[in-house]
CSV table of all heavy atoms in Angstrom, one decimal:
chain,number,residue,atom,x,y,z
A,126,ASP,N,-11.3,10.5,10.9
A,126,ASP,CA,-10.8,9.1,11.1
A,126,ASP,C,-11.0,8.1,9.9
A,126,ASP,O,-10.1,7.8,9.2
A,126,ASP,CB,-11.3,8.5,12.4
A,126,ASP,CG,-10.7,7.2,12.8
A,126,ASP,OD1,-9.5,7.0,12.4
A,126,ASP,OD2,-11.3,6.4,13.5
A,129,VAL,N,-9.6,8.4,6.3
A,129,VAL,CA,-8.2,8.7,6.1
A,129,VAL,C,-7.4,7.5,6.7
A,129,VAL,O,-7.7,7.0,7.7
A,129,VAL,CB,-7.8,9.9,7.0
A,129,VAL,CG1,-6.3,10.2,7.0
A,129,VAL,CG2,-8.6,11.2,6.6
A,132,LYS,N,-8.0,2.2,6.0
A,132,LYS,CA,-8.7,1.0,6.5
A,132,LYS,C,-10.1,0.9,5.9
A,132,LYS,O,-10.8,1.9,5.8
A,132,LYS,CB,-8.9,1.1,8.0
A,132,LYS,CG,-7.7,0.7,8.8
A,132,LYS,CD,-8.0,0.6,10.3
A,132,LYS,CE,-6.7,0.2,11.1
A,132,LYS,NZ,-6.9,0.3,12.5
A,177,LYS,N,-9.4,11.7,21.1
A,177,LYS,CA,-8.4,10.6,21.0
A,177,LYS,C,-7.1,11.1,20.4
A,177,LYS,O,-6.0,10.9,21.0
A,177,LYS,CB,-8.9,9.4,20.3
A,177,LYS,CG,-7.9,8.3,20.1
A,177,LYS,CD,-8.4,7.3,19.0
A,177,LYS,CE,-8.0,7.8,17.6
A,177,LYS,NZ,-8.4,6.9,16.5
A,214,LYS,N,-3.2,12.0,12.8
A,214,LYS,CA,-3.4,10.6,12.3
A,214,LYS,C,-2.5,10.4,11.0
A,214,LYS,O,-1.9,9.3,10.9
A,214,LYS,CB,-4.9,10.4,11.9
A,214,LYS,CG,-5.1,9.1,11.2
A,214,LYS,CD,-6.5,8.6,11.2
A,214,LYS,CE,-6.5,7.2,10.6
A,214,LYS,NZ,-7.8,6.5,10.6
A,224,GLU,N,-0.3,-1.0,10.6
A,224,GLU,CA,-0.6,-1.2,12.0
A,224,GLU,C,0.3,-2.3,12.6
A,224,GLU,O,-0.2,-3.2,13.3
A,224,GLU,CB,-2.1,-1.5,12.3
A,224,GLU,CG,-2.5,-1.2,13.7
A,224,GLU,CD,-4.0,-1.2,13.9
A,224,GLU,OE1,-4.7,-0.5,13.2
A,224,GLU,OE2,-4.4,-1.9,14.8
A,228,ARG,N,0.9,2.6,14.8
A,228,ARG,CA,-0.5,2.9,14.4
A,228,ARG,C,-1.5,2.4,15.5
A,228,ARG,O,-2.6,2.9,15.6
A,228,ARG,CB,-0.9,2.3,13.1
A,228,ARG,CG,-2.3,2.7,12.6
A,228,ARG,CD,-2.6,2.4,11.2
A,228,ARG,NE,-3.9,2.8,10.8
A,228,ARG,CZ,-4.4,3.0,9.6
A,228,ARG,NH1,-3.6,2.8,8.6
A,228,ARG,NH2,-5.6,3.4,9.4
A,231,LEU,N,-3.6,4.7,17.6
A,231,LEU,CA,-4.9,5.2,17.2
A,231,LEU,C,-6.0,4.3,17.8
A,231,LEU,O,-7.2,4.6,17.6
A,231,LEU,CB,-5.1,5.2,15.7
A,231,LEU,CG,-4.1,6.1,14.9
A,231,LEU,CD1,-4.2,5.9,13.4
A,231,LEU,CD2,-4.4,7.6,15.3
A,232,ASN,N,-5.6,3.3,18.5
A,232,ASN,CA,-6.6,2.4,19.2
A,232,ASN,C,-6.9,2.8,20.6
A,232,ASN,O,-7.7,2.1,21.3
A,232,ASN,CB,-6.2,1.0,19.1
A,232,ASN,CG,-6.1,0.4,17.7
A,232,ASN,OD1,-6.9,0.8,16.9
A,232,ASN,ND2,-5.1,-0.4,17.4
A,235,HIS,N,-10.4,2.2,22.0
A,235,HIS,CA,-11.1,1.3,21.1
A,235,HIS,C,-11.3,-0.1,21.6
A,235,HIS,O,-12.2,-0.8,21.1
A,235,HIS,CB,-10.5,1.3,19.7
A,235,HIS,CG,-10.8,2.5,18.9
A,235,HIS,ND1,-10.4,3.8,19.3
A,235,HIS,CD2,-11.5,2.7,17.8
A,235,HIS,CE1,-10.9,4.7,18.5
A,235,HIS,NE2,-11.6,4.1,17.5
B,1,LIG,N1,-9.3,4.1,13.3
B,1,LIG,C1,-8.0,3.8,13.6
B,1,LIG,C2,-7.1,3.6,12.5
B,1,LIG,O1,-7.4,4.1,11.4
B,1,LIG,O2,-6.1,3.0,12.6
Side-chain angles (χ1 to χ4, degrees):
D126 189 28
V129 178
K132 281 189 178 175
K177 177 195 79 180
K214 175 159 184 178
E224 201 169 310
R228 187 168 180 163
L231 298 172
N232 294 326
H235 282 64

